[in-house]
Amino acid sequence: MAKDPVRVLVTGAAGQIGYALVPMIARGIMLGADQPVILHMLDIPPAAEALNGVKMELIDAAFPLLKGVVATTDAVEGCTGVNVAVMVGGFPRKEGMERKDVMSKNVSIYKSQAAALEKHAAPNCKVLVVANPANTNALILKEFAPSIPEKNITCLTRLDHNRALGQVSERLSVPVSDVKNVIIWGNHSSTQYPDVNHATVKTSSGDKPVRELVKNDEWLNGEFITTVQQRGAAIIKARKLSSALSAASSACDHIRDWVLGTPEGTFVSMGVYSDGSYNVPAGLIYSFPVTCRNGEWTIVQGLPIDEVSRKKMDLTAEELKEEKDLAYSCLS
């Protein structure tokens, strides 16, 4: 039996990440090779012409799974009936801008988009926030879309997770598919904590801990962490543009694992609403290790946390509390 199409919203769809992301969705990379999709692309009025150009390209690519395209600058039309929403649009920090200025711009964007999703999205719509500050934008969205279950509002730290896998794979000269269970704790910012203490690599004699194979704690506790934390900035420096291809790919990974499930014995990193696990303050959107089944994520419990990790996890939680306070001060 042919499946019914799933409606997927991409905001900021005419931008760099959107342009990389929509063909991946139309090809079945996000939801599976047998899942038809209808793409909803939303952007701001100044981008309307570019957005129409993207729509023309989607039509020209003749994707077999693509059953329709809605390209619009109207949030209500964009959000109507969507099952999955990937929130890429946001206000980027420009030179000389204070954090508060960026935050207040994004608070107003996410407040209005939340209202449109709240009223018009399909019940049980799954939301992934990509635009920075991603964790706090997701929190604002949750605040103003109260009927969307809190478990359905997430933010993207899979890009950081994939970056960490990539660094280990390069260091050990092994295929990245043989590395698993790195963790990104906390904020999608330079305070995030990439943790390899529970990560393993597939070898001919079974799975071995990353620390045992790398045999260099100085690198793992130092350069590895800062490389992952600052990878986005390094790509901007090299490309003169931010990381669009890898962000789009990891957004697909995030949704695919959430909807279709994580492989047995594998966990991934997702920014989710904290329930107090690992002594992370409840009420923050914080990146945890999760497993997914039947369209639901569950925080991996009971992992031992050493003193060094604890400090780093608390530091990034502290930053998220400050961001939350700043965002709420922009609301009043």
Side-chain angles (χ1 to χ4, degrees):
M1 283 289 289
K3 296 180 171 180
D4 291 334
V6 170
R7 290 181 181 269
V8 182
L9 166 67
V10 177
T11 71
Q16 285 264 331
I17 296 174
Y19 186 68
L21 178 58
V22 291
M24 293 182 188
I25 299 170
R27 270 210 187 280
I29 292 169
M30 179 180 277
L31 292 169
D34 61 345
Q35 178 58 65
V37 292
I38 295 171
L39 266 168
H40 286 228
M41 302 193 299
L42 177 65
D43 216 315
I44 53 175
E49 199 179 347
L51 189 65
N52 197 42
V54 178
K55 180 179 178 174
M56 292 192 297
E57 284 204 79
L58 285 168
I59 292 165
D60 294 353
F63 294 111
L65 290 171
L66 188 59
K67 302 303 178 191
V69 182
V70 176
T72 183
T73 59
D74 175 57
V76 172
E77 187 186 5
C79 292
T80 297
V82 298
N83 309 99
V84 174
V86 186
M87 316 300 284
V88 178
F91 192 88
R93 187 169 184 168
K94 295 182 177 165
E95 219 173 324
M97 279 185 83
E98 294 296 321
R99 267 178 72 197
K100 177 135 188 176
D101 303 333
V102 187
M103 189 69 82
S104 67
K105 295 263 193 210
N106 280 296
V107 162
S108 67
I109 292 168
Y110 277 81
K111 191 174 166 182
S112 68
Q113 292 188 345
L117 283 170
E118 165 79 8
K119 283 202 186 78
H120 305 286
N124 212 34
C125 173
K126 287 180 158 53
V127 181
L128 167 60
V129 177
V130 176
N132 288 323
N135 301 58
T136 301
N137 285 343
L139 200 58
I140 294 298
L141 194 145
K142 180 200 157 294
E143 200 66 37
F144 290 96
S147 72
I148 298 177
E150 60 192 32
K151 283 203 85 158
N152 282 23
I153 296 174
T154 64
C155 82
L156 188 71
T157 55
R158 182 59 175 268
L159 175 53
D160 310 300
H161 179 98
N162 287 352
R163 285 167 171 165
L165 293 174
Q167 288 303 306
V168 172
S169 139
E170 292 276 287
R171 180 80 184 192
L172 292 172
S173 303
V174 297
V176 74
S177 53
D178 288 351
V179 187
K180 66 177 186 181
N181 297 354
V182 298
I183 301 169
I184 303 297
W185 298 100
N187 196 2
H188 174 62
S189 77
S190 58
T191 68
Q192 62 173 270
Y193 170 42
D195 175 5
V196 295
N197 292 326
H198 313 281
T200 60
V201 178
K202 191 160 110 191
T203 72
S204 53
S205 53
D207 288 356
K208 292 277 195 297
V210 164
R211 278 204 186 268
E212 194 181 298
L213 294 174
V214 170
K215 297 189 180 70
N216 187 333
D217 282 350
E218 193 185 339
W219 181 77
L220 284 171
N221 298 339
E223 192 187 328
F224 162 76
I225 291 175
T226 52
T227 299
V228 176
Q229 287 173 334
Q230 291 162 20
R231 187 68 160 185
I235 288 168
I236 290 174
K237 191 166 179 241
R239 225 172 71 85
K240 312 294 176 264
L241 292 162
S242 65
S243 40
L245 181 159
S246 52
S249 180
S250 54
C252 288
D253 291 344
H254 175 112
I255 298 285
R256 187 190 61 241
D257 284 345
W258 189 4
V259 172
L260 301 176
T262 44
E264 197 58 44
T266 300
F267 46 78
V268 296
S269 304
M270 282 171 71
V272 299
Y273 195 63
S274 171
D275 60 358
S277 292
Y278 295 99
N279 293 330
V280 171
L284 296 175
I285 300 244
Y286 187 99
S287 182
F288 288 97
V290 302
T291 54
C292 305
R293 274 188 74 176
N294 304 324
E296 299 277 333
W297 55 263
T298 306
I299 295 173
V300 176
Q301 296 295 343
L303 296 172
I305 303 296
D306 64 22
E307 205 177 320
V308 173
S309 297
R310 183 73 260 164
K311 284 199 174 106
K312 292 187 188 303
M313 288 162 67
D314 291 345
L315 184 77
T316 189
E318 201 49 54
E319 183 183 55
L320 280 169
K321 281 197 293 202
E322 284 169 22
E323 269 187 24
K324 180 181 178 178
D325 294 343
L326 186 60
Y328 280 74
S329 74
C330 296
L331 285 171
S332 46

